[in-house]
Amino acid sequence: LAASGNCAEERGDLAAAEALWKRALALEEDDAVYANMGAMLRRANRLPESRAAYAAAVRLNPRNAEAYIGLGKCYRAPAKEAGTLAQRRAYAQYLASTYGQAIRIAPEHVGAHLAVAEGLAMWGERGACDELGGKSALDFYAEALRLQPQNTNAATHVAYDAAATEAESAPATFALSPAELAAPHATT
């Protein structure tokens, strides 16, 4: 039944996939089936049901890193740098309890490192995050790049952040105003 549910999902028949997975789970609970159903429900924007399916997967198999990553994807992050300090700390704790847990289970999981980095970056968090062991978004991008050197997402962020940090620490230099740049120049 579970395999038939997978085939139904691949055909795009999500209602059949869900029904088949629920029948399979009624016969025997399986963390992989719950995780598959969680992913499908998340893509259908049925987030409360998706979270419940992923939570069941984690309950059955606390070492299922993919289920923790799926749980992480079910959260709507606060707008960049928005929210109260308590809301921002709650979001950071959520990142730690989902993606961070996936990293503890599978430290070589590039996707988990990228997910934490993206979560922090989209939130506007540039510095160290206590809830994530004092690491920053850049630390997670750098680890993803170390694990997968051809990862252009991680490489872009590492290069951009390095350039931005360098620019911030550079001494002030002489600059012309826009009016001075537009003015005709004398030639000798």
Side-chain angles (χ1 to χ4, degrees), residues 79-99:
K80 187 174 185 175
E81 300 177 4
T84 66
L85 181 59
Q87 290 168 323
R88 294 169 61 79
R89 298 283 50 99
Y91 176 63
Q93 184 56 47
Y94 189 82
L95 291 175
S97 70
T98 56
Y99 300 131

Side-chain angles (χ1 to χ4, degrees), residues 89 120 125-137 139:
R89 298 283 50 99
L120 290 171
E125 188 65 47
R126 307 303 290 169
C129 182
D130 292 339
E131 292 81 358
L132 291 159
K135 293 182 179 178
S136 68
D139 295 325

